[in-house]
Amino acid sequence: MACLCVGKCFNSVEWREMEMEMELQNLLSDLQSLTNLSLPDPSLHAPLRKIQSRVDHIANLAKAEPVRRSKVKDMSAEVVDSNPYSRLMALQRMGIVENYERIREFSVAIVGIGGVGSVAAEMLTRCGIGRLLLYDYDKVELANMNRLFFRPDQVGMTKTDAAVQTLSDINPDVVLESYTLNITTVDGFETYMSSLKNKSFCPNKQGSGVDLVLSCVDNYEARMAVNQACNELSQTWLESGVSEDAVSGHIQLLIPGETACFACAPPLVVASGVDERTLKREGVCAASLPTTMGVVAGLLVQNTLKFLLGFGQVSPYLGYNSLKDFFPTMQMKPNPQCSNVACLKRQEEYILAKPARDAAAKAEMEAEAPSTEEGPLHQDNEWNISVVDDCELDGPDTRSSDVLPEGLTHELPTADEFKNALTSEAPTNDNDDLEDLRRQLEAINSA
Amino acid sequence: MACLCVGKCFNSVEWREMEMEMELQNLLSDLQSLTNLSLPDPSLHAPLRKIQSRVDHIANLAKAEPVRRSKVKDMSAEVVDSNPYSRLMALQRMGIVENYERIREFSVAIVGIGGVGSVAAEMLTRCGIGRLLLYDYDKVELANMNRLFFRPDQVGMTKTDAAVQTLSDINPDVVLESYTLNITTVDGFETYMSSLKNKSFCPNKQGSGVDLVLSCVDNYEARMAVNQACNELSQTWLESGVSEDAVSGHIQLLIPGETACFACAPPLVVASGVDERTLKREGVCAASLPTTMGVVAGLLVQNTLKFLLGFGQVSPYLGYNSLKDFFPTMQMKPNPQCSNVACLKRQEEYILAKPARDAAAKAEMEAEAPSTEEGPLHQDNEWNISVVDDCELDGPDTRSSDVLPEGLTHELPTADEFKNALTSEAPTNDNDDLEDLRRQLEAINSA
């Protein structure tokens, strides 16, 4: 297992094991000294040898690794209790997935190994994903124990180290790369970018070195960093989030140029220009539940599997309102006035590539159902119907600065109008106003 | 932690620890013999004492339990990293739950500790539930590793023992009761029934000794046993299930007498009278995914929390079609022709208790919004409107044997008609017919 750990910390069990190993070594050398001292007395030789061999045995017992499952070279569909992949390979026999074993070729990057990211990592590990890249800078705390995955004996370890410990025990076939860093810092972002570009796992892969990025972070700044990297690399990603009151969440598919990016429609609270961190006041923490986070992680990884293995439909956006068991869906086109320059570049490329996409789609359709006739399907066009493209209608030339694409509305006045309103009406650091904004934001998120 | 283990098996790590302990004891007694032998030579006394104290130290290290979090007497909302309940108590500050700490008074029984049940148990444990009763007779296999919860080092342990090991490490505050038994056997059912009736955890509780039963089993026979027990005890339960192709699932709320019981509308494949076990042919296994099972467990426990702590709406039925991210809901009234005698008894009681329910609801409404007027709201009744009860309309006296209550239709001919059709038309052990039935069943389940 290739494991790039930036730094390494040990938990209490590991410290105890190291101390025991040292003590056993000392014991053996003490016994050797005693043997030398007792050479003149032959009656002591036999009991000393017996003690020595017992200490050797104890040292072996202490050294023994806990039983781990061995690596599996090829995934097999054989139905035996000892096959960790039988229930997954059965997806082929059931007609759900065409080639399940392809999962071993894929690399998925998970940013944020918290309540959602850690569970997503475990699900992908148990599914036998080829390679996982894990990013987090935080440490495990007892306050995290109300979510799945981390254990109390891991308190104090970095989340990345604890995750690698647990995941490599669960499935040694998965290649784990652990990055203990903050992607919102300059250095962290640089390392993050180059890790995504690294193609050594699958050199012939098109695009970046990973197949999908999962954003499982808990703040806007980190989401914007994921967004920036993915826009720059033209990297498809899935965003996820859980509300501060723990009872709703969402996942969203972002394909640079094709769908809205995270900067295309910023959340209300962020558009207000208030630093999000001032919302996290002293002595106040967000609520969280293992249920909501487990459901969001499940929906996230289910859509990851659908995306990678090509079955079912990947949801562009899926919300989860747990109070009413309501699951809203929607679709968001990119914003031609997006503030993110890389997003605008990807939008332009997407429009330019339309003829090539159409030709490819046509060729694929023809290959699947070859027509026996050479001529066009409809010889005459008595109603004079012609096909007009969506993209041509809302192309760059028809865009005015106040026009948003279909389906996007301004939840707020424009930034300038908002700035004027704020200066003339209310101070931005008023707590009641912030609570109000938060409630509005949640209403929108859970709508 | 009260833990009633029926039988006990050890995993490889535990065997190694026991062997080490024994060897260290032997070593100490060997050292004592050597000390006695070497009494005549004073030069050996000091090195022997040193060796002896080193062995004592090693024995202490070996005995040391892995660091576990200590029990917490009262749940606190204090926002510190060391508080395992801060994020849950925050649900009160957020206005979601009125009194979160009440969770410690509740007992939940989980039948089936597989892909759904084990994750449900972990979620409730992390939420700090008062008491969990766990039922399963199966052992952990490597073939289970594609679902969350169990670890490869637990292979060979019973699922109940492995669950108690993991859950008690995660949260020592939860009272765990483990029942390694098959509830579909006569003895197993009897123990199951008496465990549900036991009120020692909360002697003043109304009804049975548990607040909710979660059915997380994978076959019809076990569901019917849960149904039987719950109908007899008038015990509310939540049923859950995942399809054999791993891509859909459901949860369902069953309140004896008030909603349909599991026998009120038996699944198609079961109504066919074919033994379900013949469907599980040699060399064939159902597919399963950690995602689908994680989502179903999350929805199940979220509805458990809503039911116990009184927030949001508990879903009567919630489906999950993962291919389309579609979540169907429905509601099922009890079947007055249900084959389950206990169900009919509960239905009768429910109808008889209607006046008392109405009076209680009226009293509660009046207490909440006391009217200043003493007289009736509408003095005259010029349209001669009178209130007629649903239950009176479909009460026992108006029921003919072919009339089903509103919303229930016969998916199949009646049992007699079906029997005749089977005898005259097709043999029941035809594989193609079974496949057909299975597909129809799935279509209904995922509809």
Side-chain angles (χ1 to χ4, degrees):
Chain A
M1 189 197 63
C3 174
L4 312 172
C5 298
V6 181
K8 166 80 183 156
C9 56
F10 300 98
N11 66 4
S12 57
V13 176
E14 289 170 317
W15 275 119
R16 186 162 59 101
E17 281 169 4
M18 285 190 292
E19 193 179 348
M20 176 109 83
E21 203 185 319
M22 211 175 59
E23 275 294 82
L24 281 161
Q25 269 172 14
N26 291 339
L27 182 60
L28 280 169
S29 78
D30 287 352
L31 272 173
Q32 193 51 54
S33 315
L34 188 71
T35 309
N36 296 341
L37 272 174
S38 65
L39 277 177
D41 185 351
S43 73
L44 298 177
H45 293 182
L48 261 168
R49 268 200 303 277
K50 191 175 162 199
I51 288 176
Q52 189 127 17
S53 81
R54 218 185 271 288
V55 173
D56 284 336
H57 183 206
I58 291 170
N60 281 334
L61 282 172
K63 248 189 291 183
E65 285 279 309
V67 180
R68 291 182 58 181
R69 91 155 170 80
S70 49
K71 290 195 183 192
V72 173
K73 192 165 170 283
D74 296 303
M75 282 189 176
S76 141
E78 200 193 354
V79 181
V80 285
D81 289 341
S82 58
N83 179 3
Y85 296 119
S86 58
R87 309 294 205 260
L88 295 165
M89 293 295 279
L91 288 165
Q92 288 183 201
R93 197 178 41 79
M94 294 276 179
I96 302 293
V97 177
E98 212 178 294
N99 179 3
Y100 188 83
E101 204 167 355
R102 272 196 72 200
I103 200 161
R104 294 194 143 187
E105 295 164 18
F106 298 122
S107 293
V108 174
I110 305 183
V111 188
I113 312 300
V116 173
S118 63
V119 181
E122 181 172 347
M123 286 174 171
L124 285 168
T125 297
R126 290 184 182 265
C127 282
I129 191 83
R131 171 171 163 253
L132 274 186
L133 295 81
L134 309 171
Y135 306 83
D136 206 301
Y137 63 93
D138 218 356
K139 286 191 171 177
V140 180
E141 305 288 356
L142 269 187
N144 307 136
M145 292 306 134
N146 70 320
R147 279 94 85 182
L148 298 180
F149 192 75
F150 292 116
R151 304 184 306 263
D153 66 80
Q154 294 176 320
V155 165
M157 293 175 80
T158 63
K159 288 185 176 176
T160 43
D161 279 347
V164 167
Q165 184 187 58
T166 301
L167 299 175
S168 59
D169 276 348
I170 289 172
N171 189 348
D173 297 332
V174 178
V175 175
L176 297 170
E177 289 181 23
S178 147
Y179 298 91
T180 312
L181 50 82
N182 181 347
I183 64 159
T184 67
T185 63
V186 175
D187 287 352
F189 187 77
E190 205 169 291
T191 311
Y192 171 55
M193 281 290 283
S194 52
S195 67
L196 291 180
K197 284 186 218 165
N198 182 353
K199 288 199 193 188
S200 55
F201 180 73
C202 197
N204 299 325
K205 207 191 147 296
Q206 291 269 313
S208 83
V210 304
D211 297 278
L212 195 65
V213 172
L214 305 183
S215 166
C216 304
V217 297
D218 64 353
N219 65 87
Y220 175 74
E221 210 179 346
R223 282 188 179 90
M224 284 303 263
V226 175
N227 189 60
Q228 183 62 39
C230 290
N231 277 343
E232 285 184 27
L233 298 171
S234 211
Q235 171 66 56
T236 299
W237 59 294
L238 276 166
E239 133 71 7
S240 68
V242 171
S243 64
E244 289 222 335
D245 64 6
V247 287
S248 57
H250 72 273
I251 61 166
Q252 183 180 347
L253 174 70
L254 297 102
I255 309 174
E258 189 176 336
T259 69
C261 91
F262 196 72
C264 281
L268 188 75
V269 70
V270 170
S272 70
V274 179
D275 187 336
E276 190 186 20
R277 280 166 292 191
T278 64
L279 289 171
K280 295 186 177 172
R281 282 157 291 170
E282 194 63 38
V284 170
C285 69
S288 60
L289 280 166
T291 44
T292 311
M293 288 185 155
V295 169
V296 169
L299 298 175
L300 183 71
V301 177
Q302 195 83 286
N303 276 279
T304 299
L305 295 175
K306 290 192 280 182
F307 176 84
L308 296 175
L309 297 170
F311 66 97
Q313 292 160 16
V314 181
S315 288
Y317 177 99
L318 178 63
Y320 168 43
N321 171 330
S322 77
L323 295 183
K324 295 182 177 178
D325 281 336
F326 170 60
F327 299 82
T329 53
M330 62 167 171
Q331 208 147 0
M332 282 195 287
K333 286 194 183 179
N335 177 0
Q337 283 90 48
C338 180
S339 59
N340 188 294
V341 178
C343 174
L344 295 178
K345 194 152 175 253
R346 293 293 95 80
Q347 290 188 43
E348 203 176 313
E349 285 168 6
Y350 185 74
I351 292 165
L352 288 173
K354 191 173 186 314
R357 264 198 313 281
D358 288 348
K362 199 180 157 203
E364 197 185 337
M365 220 159 67
E366 281 172 357
E368 276 175 15
S371 170
T372 47
E373 286 173 39
E374 289 291 292
L377 193 60
H378 303 286
Q379 284 289 356
D380 30 50
N381 183 4
E382 63 175 315
W383 300 102
N384 209 28
I385 292 166
S386 72
V387 180
V388 177
D389 198 303
D390 268 7
C391 289
E392 285 168 30
L393 287 176
D394 60 17
D397 46 344
T398 61
R399 292 166 189 166
S400 94
S401 69
D402 284 330
V403 180
L404 285 180
E406 197 195 349
L408 259 190
T409 55
H410 283 292
E411 285 289 347
L412 274 180
T414 66
D416 287 348
E417 281 168 36
F418 194 78
K419 212 170 165 186
N420 294 340
L422 279 180
T423 3
S424 60
E425 278 182 36
T428 55
N429 56 356
D430 184 302
N431 272 348
D432 288 336
D433 270 27
L434 286 181
E435 279 298 301
D436 215 354
L437 279 174
R438 197 180 55 71
R439 251 174 269 126
Q440 285 181 50
L441 168 67
E442 277 169 13
I444 290 165
N445 283 341
S446 64
Chain B
M1 189 195 63
C3 174
L4 311 173
C5 299
V6 181
K8 167 81 185 157
C9 56
F10 300 98
N11 66 4
S12 57
V13 176
E14 288 170 318
W15 274 119
R16 186 162 58 101
E17 281 169 5
M18 284 189 293
E19 195 180 346
M20 175 109 83
E21 201 185 320
M22 211 174 60
E23 276 294 83
L24 281 161
Q25 269 171 15
N26 291 340
L27 182 60
L28 280 169
S29 79
D30 287 352
L31 272 173
Q32 193 52 53
S33 314
L34 189 71
T35 308
N36 295 341
L37 272 173
S38 64
L39 278 178
D41 185 352
S43 73
L44 296 178
H45 294 182
L48 262 169
R49 268 201 303 276
K50 191 175 162 199
I51 288 175
Q52 189 129 16
S53 82
R54 218 185 271 290
V55 173
D56 284 337
H57 183 206
I58 291 170
N60 281 334
L61 282 172
K63 248 189 293 183
E65 286 278 308
V67 179
R68 292 182 56 182
R69 91 156 170 79
S70 47
K71 289 196 185 192
V72 173
K73 193 166 170 285
D74 296 304
M75 282 189 176
S76 142
E78 199 193 353
V79 181
V80 286
D81 289 341
S82 57
N83 179 3
Y85 295 119
S86 58
R87 309 293 205 260
L88 295 164
M89 293 297 278
L91 288 164
Q92 288 184 200
R93 197 178 41 79
M94 295 274 179
I96 302 293
V97 177
E98 211 179 293
N99 178 2
Y100 188 83
E101 204 166 355
R102 272 197 72 201
I103 200 161
R104 295 194 142 187
E105 294 165 19
F106 297 122
S107 294
V108 174
I110 305 183
V111 188
I113 313 299
V116 173
S118 63
V119 180
E122 181 172 347
M123 286 175 171
L124 285 168
T125 297
R126 291 185 182 265
C127 284
I129 191 83
R131 170 171 164 253
L132 274 186
L133 296 81
L134 309 172
Y135 306 82
D136 207 300
Y137 63 92
D138 218 356
K139 286 192 173 176
V140 180
E141 304 289 357
L142 269 187
N144 307 137
M145 293 305 134
N146 69 320
R147 279 93 86 181
L148 298 180
F149 193 74
F150 292 117
R151 304 184 306 263
D153 66 79
Q154 293 175 319
V155 165
M157 293 175 80
T158 63
K159 288 185 177 175
T160 43
D161 279 347
V164 166
Q165 184 187 59
T166 300
L167 300 176
S168 59
D169 277 347
I170 288 172
N171 190 347
D173 297 332
V174 178
V175 175
L176 297 170
E177 288 181 23
S178 146
Y179 298 90
T180 311
L181 51 81
N182 181 348
I183 64 159
T184 67
T185 63
V186 175
D187 286 353
F189 188 78
E190 206 169 288
T191 312
Y192 171 56
M193 280 292 281
S194 52
S195 67
L196 291 180
K197 285 186 215 164
N198 181 353
K199 287 199 194 187
S200 56
F201 180 73
C202 196
N204 299 324
K205 205 190 148 299
Q206 291 269 313
S208 83
V210 303
D211 297 277
L212 195 66
V213 172
L214 305 183
S215 166
C216 304
V217 298
D218 64 354
N219 65 86
Y220 175 74
E221 210 179 346
R223 283 188 177 89
M224 284 302 263
V226 175
N227 189 59
Q228 184 62 37
C230 291
N231 277 344
E232 285 183 26
L233 297 171
S234 212
Q235 172 64 56
T236 298
W237 59 295
L238 276 166
E239 132 72 5
S240 68
V242 171
S243 65
E244 290 222 335
D245 64 6
V247 287
S248 55
H250 72 274
I251 61 167
Q252 184 180 346
L253 174 71
L254 297 101
I255 309 174
E258 188 176 337
T259 70
C261 89
F262 196 72
C264 281
L268 188 74
V269 69
V270 170
S272 70
V274 179
D275 187 336
E276 191 186 19
R277 281 166 292 191
T278 63
L279 289 170
K280 296 187 176 168
R281 282 158 289 170
E282 194 63 38
V284 169
C285 69
S288 59
L289 281 166
T291 44
T292 311
M293 289 185 154
V295 169
V296 170
L299 298 174
L300 183 71
V301 177
Q302 195 83 286
N303 277 279
T304 299
L305 295 176
K306 291 191 280 182
F307 176 84
L308 296 175
L309 297 170
F311 66 97
Q313 293 160 16
V314 181
S315 288
Y317 177 99
L318 177 63
Y320 168 43
N321 171 330
S322 77
L323 295 184
K324 294 183 179 178
D325 281 337
F326 171 60
F327 300 81
T329 54
M330 61 167 173
Q331 208 148 359
M332 282 195 288
K333 286 193 184 178
N335 176 1
Q337 284 90 49
C338 181
S339 60
N340 188 295
V341 179
C343 173
L344 295 178
K345 196 153 175 250
R346 294 292 94 81
Q347 290 187 44
E348 205 176 310
E349 285 168 6
Y350 186 74
I351 291 164
L352 287 172
K354 191 172 186 313
R357 264 199 313 281
D358 289 348
K362 200 181 157 202
E364 198 186 336
M365 219 159 68
E366 281 172 358
E368 276 174 18
S371 168
T372 46
E373 287 173 38
E374 290 291 291
L377 194 60
H378 304 286
Q379 285 287 357
D380 31 49
N381 183 5
E382 63 174 315
W383 301 100
N384 211 29
I385 292 167
S386 72
V387 180
V388 177
D389 198 303
D390 268 6
C391 291
E392 284 167 31
L393 288 176
D394 60 16
D397 46 344
T398 61
R399 291 169 191 163
S400 95
S401 68
D402 285 330
V403 179
L404 285 180
E406 197 195 350
L408 257 191
T409 55
H410 284 291
E411 285 288 348
L412 274 181
T414 66
D416 289 347
E417 281 169 36
F418 194 79
K419 213 170 165 186
N420 295 340
L422 280 179
T423 4
S424 60
E425 277 182 38
T428 56
N429 55 356
D430 184 302
N431 273 347
D432 287 335
D433 271 28
L434 285 181
E435 279 298 302
D436 214 355
L437 279 173
R438 196 181 55 72
R439 251 174 269 127
Q440 285 181 53
L441 168 66
E442 276 169 13
I444 290 165
N445 283 341
S446 64

